[in-house]
Amino acid sequence: DGGMVKKYAHNVPGKIPQSWRDDDDDKKPKKKGTKYMLGAKTPREFGRRLGCCMAVLVIFLQLFRVYLKHRIEIKRAEQEAWIANAQRFHSENHTCHTRTHPPVQACSPLKCGRVVIEDFITKDECSQIISLAEFGMVNGGSSGGATIMDLPSGALSYGNQFINLHQILKKKHEHLPEDATLILKSVMSRVRHEVSDFFGAKQIMGTSPRFISRMDQKPAQTTHDEYWHEHVDSNQYPGFEYTALLYLNDQGEDYTGGKFSFIDPYRDGNGNLQIG
């Protein structure tokens, strides 16, 4: 009967119970459309997301290209600056002379030598320092050819003696030009850095005298005016380990004569002295 057919229908060839077919269909994977990358459900959405990714990649590559170009320009500028600095930097090592006083740790040189640097400071910086010297020297002036203004101590040439510039300015309620003074301090700091770098000294202290000198054609009146004599600064001033000379104008243009010479048996040591 009908009950028997349903009960034994699984034994009938080609007949599968409906409950069994439903169970089997649930276990089969159901198609939900073609699956794309980037989580896109349609070709249009996939194309849109792919286009966005490509645009971001192009922007990144362009920015990276600009960065590389900038770095290359910086490296080229650094190389050119190094070459220019090497061309204006001249140095030579020498055998150290017998010391007349014991060395100072971290200050005395690890080697002896000479350094000549061209264009160490700018013409504008030279002009500022000259204006500072003129502001102070107007209060004094040597009777001979060399006027000295030592800013740390305030010593200023006046006739055949020295006066104190700081006291004079205090009485007049005046001050040294601030901008020019800051430039001079900056230049002195750079000088100490160069000396420290070349001679291997870790700590260099400024000492006195640290002066600006003005030379003119007046005949010498005292030994201080006779600046052309051979001398060794470290012997004349025991506190000296180094001497730095900075020329503020050009020989042959602003003045004549007055060449600077090192005492060497194999050369005269003369050279044109230029601003900076």
XYZ file of all heavy atoms in Angstrom, residues 19-113:
777
model
N 13.096 13.749 1.659
C 13.850 14.215 2.833
C 15.335 14.023 2.642
O 16.151 14.832 3.062
C 13.380 13.489 4.087
O 13.573 12.090 3.931
N 15.683 12.909 1.993
C 17.106 12.684 1.721
C 17.647 13.681 0.711
O 18.743 14.178 0.835
C 17.287 11.245 1.217
C 17.036 10.213 2.277
C 16.474 10.394 3.496
C 17.322 8.840 2.164
N 16.371 9.242 4.207
C 16.895 8.230 3.402
C 17.880 8.014 1.176
C 17.018 6.871 3.653
C 17.998 6.663 1.443
C 17.585 6.095 2.679
N 16.857 13.963 -0.328
C 17.320 14.924 -1.351
C 17.516 16.311 -0.745
O 18.464 17.010 -1.042
C 16.326 14.992 -2.499
C 16.276 13.751 -3.348
C 15.659 14.048 -4.680
N 14.304 14.534 -4.526
C 13.216 13.723 -4.560
N 13.369 12.407 -4.681
N 12.017 14.239 -4.435
N 16.646 16.715 0.161
C 16.790 18.036 0.796
C 18.065 18.108 1.623
O 18.793 19.089 1.613
C 15.586 18.314 1.679
C 14.313 18.538 0.851
O 14.478 18.812 -0.374
O 13.234 18.437 1.427
N 18.305 16.964 2.353
C 19.522 16.972 3.174
C 20.768 17.074 2.310
O 21.719 17.783 2.611
C 19.577 15.718 4.033
C 18.477 15.725 5.097
O 17.978 16.841 5.397
O 18.160 14.643 5.584
N 20.766 16.339 1.191
C 21.937 16.368 0.315
C 22.118 17.731 -0.304
O 23.236 18.221 -0.468
C 21.791 15.306 -0.771
C 21.886 13.897 -0.180
O 22.444 13.770 0.947
O 21.424 12.979 -0.855
N 21.013 18.397 -0.676
C 21.119 19.725 -1.305
C 21.700 20.751 -0.334
O 22.423 21.662 -0.711
C 19.761 20.196 -1.799
C 19.294 19.399 -3.015
O 20.180 18.773 -3.666
O 18.098 19.416 -3.270
N 21.367 20.596 0.959
C 21.897 21.552 1.939
C 23.401 21.427 2.091
O 24.089 22.374 2.445
C 21.229 21.326 3.300
C 19.758 21.758 3.279
O 19.427 22.552 2.376
O 18.999 21.292 4.142
N 23.900 20.216 1.865
C 25.328 20.003 2.023
C 26.133 20.440 0.808
O 27.345 20.549 0.873
C 25.601 18.528 2.299
C 25.011 18.059 3.625
C 25.271 16.583 3.836
C 24.654 16.106 5.157
N 24.890 14.655 5.367
N 25.474 20.658 -0.314
C 26.190 21.078 -1.519
C 26.525 22.553 -1.442
O 25.732 23.345 -0.918
C 25.336 20.810 -2.758
C 25.118 19.333 -3.040
C 24.269 19.161 -4.277
C 24.044 17.677 -4.572
N 23.193 17.507 -5.779
N 27.707 22.999 -1.951
C 28.032 24.433 -1.960
C 27.088 25.184 -2.871
O 26.802 24.747 -3.980
C 29.472 24.468 -2.484
C 29.632 23.208 -3.243
C 28.769 22.186 -2.560
N 26.586 26.317 -2.382
C 25.670 27.136 -3.165
C 26.426 28.251 -3.840
O 27.251 28.913 -3.226
C 24.583 27.715 -2.262
C 23.709 26.636 -1.611
C 22.674 27.258 -0.713
C 21.817 26.181 -0.067
N 20.780 26.762 0.835
N 26.123 28.508 -5.094
C 26.786 29.575 -5.836
C 26.213 30.922 -5.444
O 25.002 31.090 -5.402
C 26.622 29.354 -7.331
C 27.349 28.117 -7.855
C 27.238 28.018 -9.353
C 28.014 26.812 -9.878
N 27.913 26.718 -11.351
N 27.126 31.873 -5.140
C 26.718 33.236 -4.795
C 27.344 34.234 -5.749
O 27.665 35.352 -5.392
C 27.148 33.572 -3.360
C 26.483 32.708 -2.310
C 26.906 33.123 -0.928
C 26.231 32.260 0.124
N 26.634 32.663 1.487
N 27.610 33.900 -6.944
C 28.274 34.763 -7.901
C 29.771 34.528 -7.897
O 30.305 33.887 -7.005
N 30.441 35.044 -8.895
C 31.888 34.868 -9.005
C 32.598 35.680 -7.935
O 32.293 36.855 -7.749
C 32.373 35.308 -10.396
O 31.636 34.591 -11.389
C 33.861 35.047 -10.544
N 33.548 35.085 -7.254
C 34.295 35.763 -6.184
C 35.508 36.465 -6.760
O 36.260 35.892 -7.526
C 34.739 34.747 -5.132
C 35.356 35.386 -3.896
C 35.674 34.341 -2.855
C 36.243 34.985 -1.616
N 36.546 33.979 -0.574
N 35.700 37.760 -6.367
C 36.828 38.558 -6.843
C 37.724 38.932 -5.676
O 37.333 38.857 -4.525
C 36.325 39.834 -7.543
C 35.556 39.560 -8.812
C 34.184 39.362 -8.764
C 36.201 39.480 -10.026
C 33.464 39.102 -9.915
C 35.499 39.225 -11.186
C 34.124 39.036 -11.120
O 33.435 38.775 -12.258
N 38.935 39.407 -6.005
C 39.877 39.879 -4.988
C 39.390 41.187 -4.390
O 38.490 41.842 -4.929
C 41.270 40.064 -5.584
C 41.929 38.776 -6.068
S 43.511 39.126 -6.837
C 44.404 39.787 -5.435
N 40.052 41.594 -3.272
C 39.786 42.845 -2.582
C 38.388 42.871 -1.990
O 37.857 43.929 -1.702
C 39.969 44.051 -3.523
C 41.302 44.152 -4.247
C 41.310 45.323 -5.199
C 42.423 44.278 -3.242
N 37.788 41.731 -1.861
C 36.470 41.680 -1.247
C 35.363 42.199 -2.141
O 34.266 42.470 -1.670
N 35.656 42.397 -3.429
C 34.649 42.921 -4.349
C 33.671 41.825 -4.716
O 34.028 40.671 -4.883
C 35.319 43.474 -5.600
N 32.404 42.206 -4.866
C 31.362 41.249 -5.196
C 30.955 41.312 -6.668
O 30.279 40.417 -7.154
C 30.144 41.488 -4.313
C 30.423 41.251 -2.830
C 29.178 41.466 -2.013
C 29.445 41.202 -0.533
N 28.227 41.392 0.301
N 31.385 42.426 -7.330
C 31.038 42.585 -8.742
C 32.272 43.037 -9.505
O 33.201 43.624 -8.918
C 29.920 43.633 -8.919
O 30.417 44.898 -8.495
C 28.687 43.259 -8.096
N 32.329 42.808 -10.792
C 33.469 43.275 -11.596
C 33.652 44.788 -11.520
O 34.768 45.297 -11.518
C 33.109 42.810 -13.004
C 32.188 41.663 -12.804
C 31.396 41.968 -11.572
N 32.553 45.527 -11.465
C 32.666 46.991 -11.410
C 33.328 47.433 -10.105
O 34.198 48.306 -10.099
C 31.285 47.615 -11.529
C 31.299 49.146 -11.442
C 29.921 49.715 -11.669
N 29.456 49.395 -13.022
C 28.259 49.752 -13.484
N 27.412 50.418 -12.702
N 27.905 49.439 -14.710
N 32.896 46.831 -8.984
C 33.501 47.183 -7.700
C 34.960 46.769 -7.662
O 35.823 47.484 -7.142
C 32.741 46.508 -6.568
C 33.238 46.915 -5.182
C 32.423 46.288 -4.087
O 31.422 45.606 -4.403
O 32.793 46.469 -2.905
N 35.300 45.624 -8.218
C 36.689 45.182 -8.293
C 37.548 46.166 -9.080
O 38.638 46.538 -8.678
C 36.741 43.786 -8.931
C 38.142 43.329 -9.220
C 38.974 42.886 -8.202
C 38.633 43.356 -10.523
C 40.264 42.467 -8.471
C 39.923 42.943 -10.788
C 40.745 42.497 -9.763
N 37.012 46.605 -10.236
C 37.752 47.573 -11.046
C 37.952 48.888 -10.330
O 39.007 49.515 -10.429
N 36.929 49.321 -9.574
C 37.032 50.578 -8.846
C 38.110 50.486 -7.768
O 38.938 51.384 -7.620
C 35.692 50.922 -8.210
C 35.668 52.316 -7.563
C 34.367 52.595 -6.837
N 33.235 52.437 -7.740
C 32.304 51.499 -7.609
N 32.404 50.618 -6.622
N 31.297 51.426 -8.448
N 38.111 49.404 -7.020
C 39.108 49.242 -5.956
C 40.510 49.066 -6.531
O 41.486 49.574 -5.981
C 38.738 48.054 -5.080
C 37.436 48.255 -4.323
C 37.200 47.172 -3.304
N 35.950 47.386 -2.587
C 35.537 46.651 -1.573
N 36.298 45.643 -1.142
N 34.388 46.902 -0.981
N 40.611 48.335 -7.628
C 41.913 48.179 -8.261
C 42.445 49.516 -8.760
O 43.635 49.824 -8.629
C 41.818 47.182 -9.422
C 43.123 46.907 -10.185
C 44.165 46.307 -9.241
C 42.867 45.977 -11.370
N 41.560 50.339 -9.314
C 41.978 51.674 -9.778
C 42.459 52.548 -8.636
O 43.450 53.273 -8.772
N 41.769 52.463 -7.481
C 42.202 53.236 -6.315
C 43.586 52.796 -5.848
O 44.453 53.616 -5.526
C 41.187 53.085 -5.184
S 39.601 53.897 -5.492
N 43.801 51.487 -5.830
C 45.114 50.973 -5.419
C 46.212 51.420 -6.374
O 47.309 51.807 -5.943
C 45.077 49.453 -5.336
S 44.067 48.819 -3.975
N 45.933 51.402 -7.649
C 46.916 51.844 -8.632
C 47.221 53.328 -8.480
O 48.362 53.754 -8.603
C 46.414 51.536 -10.040
C 46.315 50.053 -10.362
S 47.932 49.233 -10.267
C 48.779 50.046 -11.620
N 46.180 54.124 -8.199
C 46.390 55.560 -8.014
C 47.269 55.826 -6.794
O 48.182 56.654 -6.827
C 45.042 56.271 -7.862
N 47.003 55.103 -5.691
C 47.829 55.256 -4.483
C 49.263 54.845 -4.766
O 50.221 55.504 -4.328
C 47.237 54.422 -3.334
C 48.196 54.408 -2.150
C 45.889 54.975 -2.902
N 49.444 53.774 -5.516
C 50.788 53.317 -5.850
C 51.532 54.342 -6.692
O 52.714 54.626 -6.461
C 50.714 51.980 -6.591
C 52.059 51.372 -7.026
C 52.927 51.094 -5.810
C 51.835 50.102 -7.833
N 50.831 54.940 -7.673
C 51.456 55.965 -8.525
C 51.866 57.174 -7.689
O 52.963 57.725 -7.847
C 50.504 56.367 -9.660
C 51.043 57.598 -10.392
C 50.310 55.220 -10.635
N 50.988 57.602 -6.773
C 51.305 58.752 -5.915
C 52.514 58.443 -5.031
O 53.412 59.265 -4.853
C 50.079 59.123 -5.062
C 48.953 59.652 -5.953
C 50.454 60.171 -4.010
C 47.662 59.897 -5.205
N 52.532 57.228 -4.475
C 53.665 56.828 -3.627
C 54.967 56.834 -4.416
O 55.995 57.336 -3.938
C 53.399 55.437 -3.055
C 54.579 54.868 -2.321
C 54.894 55.282 -1.039
C 55.393 53.920 -2.932
C 55.991 54.751 -0.377
C 56.483 53.392 -2.271
C 56.786 53.809 -0.993
N 54.924 56.277 -5.628
C 56.142 56.235 -6.443
C 56.595 57.644 -6.816
O 57.796 57.929 -6.847
C 55.894 55.403 -7.703
C 55.700 53.893 -7.481
C 55.384 53.202 -8.803
C 56.931 53.263 -6.847
N 55.641 58.544 -7.074
C 56.000 59.918 -7.421
C 56.644 60.622 -6.223
O 57.648 61.323 -6.363
C 54.753 60.679 -7.884
C 55.027 62.091 -8.353
C 55.863 62.132 -9.616
O 55.985 61.135 -10.329
N 56.444 63.282 -9.907
N 56.053 60.433 -5.040
C 56.628 61.035 -3.837
C 58.010 60.455 -3.539
O 58.927 61.183 -3.138
C 55.698 60.799 -2.641
C 54.348 61.531 -2.674
C 53.498 61.134 -1.485
C 54.558 63.044 -2.682
N 58.170 59.163 -3.735
C 59.476 58.533 -3.514
C 60.504 59.068 -4.506
O 61.669 59.282 -4.155
C 59.338 57.016 -3.657
C 60.587 56.267 -3.294
C 61.037 56.231 -1.985
C 61.319 55.604 -4.262
C 62.191 55.546 -1.644
C 62.475 54.919 -3.933
C 62.915 54.885 -2.624
N 60.065 59.306 -5.744
C 60.958 59.883 -6.756
C 61.392 61.283 -6.356
O 62.570 61.642 -6.472
C 60.249 59.918 -8.103
C 61.019 60.609 -9.211
C 60.249 60.556 -10.514
N 60.867 61.377 -11.531
C 60.598 62.675 -11.705
N 59.710 63.268 -10.901
N 61.214 63.373 -12.634
N 60.452 62.093 -5.848
C 60.792 63.448 -5.399
C 61.755 63.386 -4.221
O 62.711 64.164 -4.138
C 59.509 64.211 -5.012
C 59.855 65.557 -4.370
C 58.631 64.426 -6.239
N 61.514 62.433 -3.300
C 62.399 62.281 -2.143
C 63.817 61.910 -2.573
O 64.794 62.472 -2.084
C 61.834 61.213 -1.206
C 62.785 60.800 -0.113
C 62.986 61.598 1.008
C 63.482 59.594 -0.212
C 63.862 61.209 2.004
C 64.361 59.201 0.787
C 64.550 60.013 1.891
O 65.424 59.633 2.879
N 63.922 60.948 -3.502
C 65.242 60.545 -3.983
C 65.957 61.701 -4.674
O 67.160 61.908 -4.484
C 65.106 59.362 -4.946
C 64.780 58.001 -4.319
C 64.687 56.946 -5.402
C 65.819 57.601 -3.290
N 65.218 62.467 -5.465
C 65.812 63.617 -6.148
C 66.324 64.629 -5.139
O 67.415 65.194 -5.293
C 64.782 64.254 -7.078
C 65.323 65.422 -7.874
C 64.259 65.997 -8.791
C 64.797 67.182 -9.585
N 63.743 67.756 -10.465
N 65.538 64.854 -4.074
C 65.949 65.798 -3.031
C 67.203 65.312 -2.322
O 68.130 66.089 -2.072
C 64.804 65.972 -2.029
C 65.124 66.879 -0.890
N 65.376 68.234 -1.046
C 65.260 66.629 0.447
C 65.641 68.777 0.121
N 65.581 67.829 1.046
N 67.260 64.017 -1.988
C 68.424 63.467 -1.326
C 69.661 63.541 -2.219
O 70.760 63.833 -1.743
C 68.174 62.009 -0.928
C 67.124 61.832 0.154
C 67.516 62.519 1.438
N 68.820 62.064 1.917
C 69.480 62.614 2.924
N 68.981 63.678 3.539
N 70.635 62.141 3.313
N 69.485 63.301 -3.503
C 70.607 63.389 -4.442
C 71.133 64.816 -4.509
O 72.350 65.054 -4.523
C 70.181 62.892 -5.831
C 69.921 61.375 -5.792
C 71.240 63.219 -6.874
C 69.360 60.821 -7.076
N 70.216 65.794 -4.521
C 70.643 67.195 -4.550
C 71.387 67.571 -3.282
O 72.382 68.307 -3.320
C 69.417 68.089 -4.744
C 68.773 67.979 -6.116
C 67.527 68.815 -6.242
O 67.075 69.361 -5.198
O 66.992 68.925 -7.348
N 70.915 67.052 -2.129
C 71.599 67.342 -0.869
C 72.998 66.744 -0.873
O 73.980 67.401 -0.490
C 70.780 66.800 0.317
C 69.486 67.606 0.483
C 71.598 66.837 1.606
C 68.598 67.098 1.601
N 73.122 65.489 -1.311
C 74.420 64.845 -1.366
C 75.358 65.569 -2.320
O 76.544 65.736 -2.040
C 74.264 63.385 -1.789
C 73.626 62.492 -0.734
C 74.516 62.393 0.496
C 73.913 61.442 1.522
N 74.749 61.364 2.753
N 74.828 66.015 -3.471
C 75.652 66.739 -4.423
C 76.133 68.061 -3.824
O 77.297 68.451 -3.981
C 74.867 66.992 -5.707
C 75.710 67.699 -6.781
C 74.900 68.012 -8.015
N 74.464 66.788 -8.682
C 73.198 66.402 -8.774
N 72.234 67.141 -8.214
N 72.887 65.298 -9.409
N 75.224 68.763 -3.116
C 75.603 70.027 -2.485
C 76.655 69.800 -1.404
O 77.603 70.580 -1.273
C 74.363 70.706 -1.896
N 76.485 68.724 -0.616
C 77.476 68.418 0.414
C 78.833 68.089 -0.196
O 79.871 68.503 0.319
C 76.981 67.245 1.273
C 75.783 67.585 2.154
C 75.282 66.371 2.918
O 75.747 65.253 2.603
O 74.440 66.540 3.806
N 78.815 67.365 -1.314
C 80.073 67.022 -1.969
C 80.750 68.265 -2.533
O 81.968 68.442 -2.401
C 79.819 66.010 -3.083
C 81.087 65.499 -3.764
C 80.793 64.464 -4.829
O 79.666 64.325 -5.277
N 81.814 63.725 -5.242
N 79.958 69.140 -3.157
C 80.520 70.380 -3.690
C 81.071 71.255 -2.569
O 82.128 71.872 -2.717
C 79.454 71.128 -4.485
C 79.039 70.425 -5.774
C 77.914 71.138 -6.485
O 77.373 72.109 -5.886
O 77.564 70.749 -7.610
N 80.335 71.306 -1.449
C 80.813 72.094 -0.311
C 82.105 71.509 0.248
O 83.016 72.251 0.630
C 79.740 72.147 0.776
N 82.180 70.174 0.288
C 83.401 69.531 0.798
C 84.575 69.837 -0.119
O 85.685 70.125 0.344
C 83.189 68.029 0.892
C 84.347 67.304 1.499
C 84.576 67.068 2.819
C 85.472 66.735 0.794
N 85.754 66.386 2.990
C 86.339 66.163 1.773
C 85.818 66.645 -0.544
C 87.514 65.523 1.427
C 87.002 66.009 -0.882
C 87.832 65.453 0.083
N 84.351 69.784 -1.433
C 85.427 70.080 -2.385
C 85.866 71.530 -2.253
O 87.057 71.847 -2.235
C 84.966 69.766 -3.811
C 84.733 68.259 -3.978
C 85.999 70.250 -4.828
C 84.154 67.872 -5.319
N 84.861 72.435 -2.148
C 85.193 73.862 -2.004
C 85.950 74.113 -0.710
O 86.904 74.897 -0.674
C 83.912 74.693 -2.042
N 85.538 73.429 0.361
C 86.224 73.598 1.641
C 87.646 73.054 1.582
O 88.573 73.645 2.145
C 85.434 72.894 2.747
C 86.053 73.094 4.117
O 86.050 74.197 4.652
N 86.582 72.025 4.691
N 87.810 71.927 0.880
C 89.153 71.361 0.742
C 90.067 72.297 -0.042
O 91.268 72.386 0.228
C 89.080 69.999 0.071
N 89.494 73.009 -1.008
C 90.295 73.920 -1.819
C 90.714 75.162 -1.047
O 91.761 75.744 -1.319
C 89.517 74.316 -3.076
C 89.310 73.162 -4.054
C 88.449 73.552 -5.237
O 87.765 74.585 -5.220
N 88.460 72.728 -6.269
N 89.905 75.583 -0.081
C 90.248 76.786 0.683
C 90.936 76.460 2.000
O 91.286 77.350 2.762
C 88.983 77.612 0.958
C 88.013 76.968 1.917
C 86.725 77.768 2.053
N 85.835 77.196 3.055
C 85.845 77.507 4.336
N 86.719 78.389 4.776
N 85.010 76.956 5.169
N 91.108 75.181 2.285
C 91.716 74.747 3.535
C 93.100 74.190 3.237
O 93.238 73.214 2.507
C 90.836 73.666 4.187
C 91.265 73.279 5.574
C 90.709 73.884 6.677
C 92.221 72.297 5.765
C 91.092 73.507 7.963
C 92.619 71.916 7.028
C 92.053 72.531 8.133
N 94.127 74.828 3.792
C 95.511 74.404 3.583
C 96.146 74.166 4.953
O 96.078 75.018 5.834
C 96.296 75.467 2.811
C 95.595 75.958 1.576
N 95.583 75.252 0.395
C 94.860 77.079 1.358
C 94.890 75.918 -0.519
N 94.438 77.028 0.048
N 96.745 73.014 5.111
C 97.343 72.692 6.408
C 98.655 71.947 6.194
O 98.893 71.347 5.141
C 96.388 71.838 7.245
O 96.180 70.577 6.635
N 99.480 72.003 7.211
C 100.741 71.269 7.198
C 101.158 70.991 8.634
O 100.924 71.804 9.534
C 101.832 72.056 6.467
C 102.066 73.450 7.008
C 103.058 74.235 6.166
O 103.094 74.040 4.938
O 103.803 75.035 6.764
N 101.717 69.831 8.847
C 102.188 69.439 10.168
C 103.657 69.818 10.349
O 104.423 69.842 9.380
C 102.009 67.933 10.379
C 100.552 67.524 10.362
O 99.676 68.294 10.760
N 100.281 66.313 9.907
N 104.025 70.097 11.584
C 105.402 70.472 11.895
C 105.844 69.786 13.181
O 105.020 69.397 14.010
C 105.535 71.995 12.051
C 105.426 72.740 10.759
N 106.512 73.061 9.991
C 104.340 73.205 10.102
C 106.104 73.709 8.906
N 104.781 73.805 8.957
N 107.149 69.663 13.334
C 107.703 69.116 14.567
C 107.519 70.129 15.693
O 107.797 71.321 15.523
C 109.202 68.800 14.403
O 109.365 67.879 13.313
C 109.767 68.202 15.679
N 107.021 69.663 16.812
C 106.770 70.558 17.935
C 108.090 71.009 18.562
O 109.019 70.213 18.703
C 105.913 69.864 18.991
S 104.256 69.417 18.427
N 108.167 72.277 18.938
C 109.338 72.798 19.631
C 109.294 72.397 21.107
O 108.258 71.976 21.627
C 109.398 74.322 19.504
C 109.639 74.788 18.102
N 110.876 74.720 17.505
C 108.802 75.317 17.174
C 110.800 75.192 16.271
N 109.547 75.557 16.050
N 110.397 72.533 21.748
C 110.468 72.221 23.171
C 109.572 73.175 23.952
O 109.644 74.399 23.783
C 111.912 72.346 23.682
O 112.756 71.480 22.912
C 111.994 71.966 25.156
N 108.704 72.605 24.778
C 107.762 73.428 25.533
C 108.458 74.104 26.701
O 109.336 73.537 27.349
C 106.608 72.570 26.051
C 105.784 71.899 24.965
C 104.669 71.074 25.588
N 103.755 71.913 26.327
C 102.674 72.495 25.779
N 102.393 72.294 24.501
N 101.879 73.242 26.509
N 108.065 75.334 26.981
C 108.600 76.067 28.121
C 107.692 75.958 29.333
O 108.032 76.442 30.410
C 108.784 77.549 27.765
O 107.514 78.096 27.356
C 109.777 77.705 26.625
N 106.520 75.320 29.168
C 105.600 75.134 30.280
C 104.874 73.803 30.084
O 104.774 73.306 28.958
C 104.595 76.290 30.373
C 103.867 76.561 29.098
N 104.420 77.262 28.048
C 102.617 76.199 28.693
C 103.550 77.341 27.054
N 102.456 76.702 27.416
N 104.393 73.204 31.144
C 103.767 71.876 31.033
C 102.485 71.939 30.211
O 101.791 72.960 30.195
C 103.485 71.485 32.490
C 103.408 72.779 33.221
C 104.390 73.689 32.547
N 102.142 70.856 29.515
C 100.916 70.841 28.713
C 99.667 70.842 29.595
O 99.687 70.411 30.740
C 101.032 69.527 27.928
C 101.922 68.662 28.745
C 102.893 69.591 29.415
N 98.594 71.343 29.021
C 97.300 71.403 29.706
C 96.411 70.314 29.118
O 96.191 70.266 27.906
C 96.640 72.782 29.548
C 95.292 72.806 30.263
C 97.554 73.875 30.078
N 95.917 69.439 29.978
C 95.098 68.320 29.512
C 93.850 68.820 28.784
O 93.171 69.728 29.237
C 94.697 67.441 30.689
C 93.951 66.170 30.288
C 93.634 65.284 31.472
O 93.896 65.653 32.614
N 93.086 64.114 31.214
N 93.570 68.202 27.637
C 92.393 68.485 26.801
C 92.472 69.835 26.101
O 91.583 70.181 25.328
C 91.093 68.397 27.599
N 93.529 70.595 26.344
C 93.672 71.903 25.697
C 94.916 71.969 24.833
O 94.870 72.520 23.732
C 93.702 73.007 26.751
S 93.868 74.675 26.059
N 96.024 71.424 25.305
C 97.260 71.449 24.532
C 97.113 70.598 23.276
O 96.391 69.596 23.268
C 98.434 70.946 25.373
O 98.658 71.806 26.478
N 97.769 70.979 22.192
C 97.606 70.256 20.924
C 98.202 68.860 20.966
O 99.207 68.611 21.636
C 98.349 71.150 19.926
C 99.363 71.886 20.743
C 98.706 72.123 22.065
N 97.565 67.955 20.247
C 98.102 66.604 20.091
C 99.133 66.539 18.979
O 99.866 65.561 18.852
C 96.967 65.621 19.808
C 95.881 65.520 20.888
C 94.834 64.491 20.483
C 96.489 65.172 22.240
N 99.174 67.570 18.144
C 100.168 67.685 17.087
C 100.420 69.161 16.843
O 99.650 70.023 17.281
C 99.679 67.016 15.797
C 98.422 67.651 15.215
C 98.000 66.959 13.934
C 96.738 67.600 13.356
N 96.307 66.938 12.089
N 101.498 69.468 16.155
C 101.834 70.854 15.855
C 101.735 71.074 14.349
O 102.031 70.171 13.554
C 103.239 71.193 16.341
S 103.424 71.092 18.139
N 101.335 72.245 13.966
C 101.194 72.531 12.550
C 100.625 73.911 12.310
O 100.484 74.723 13.234
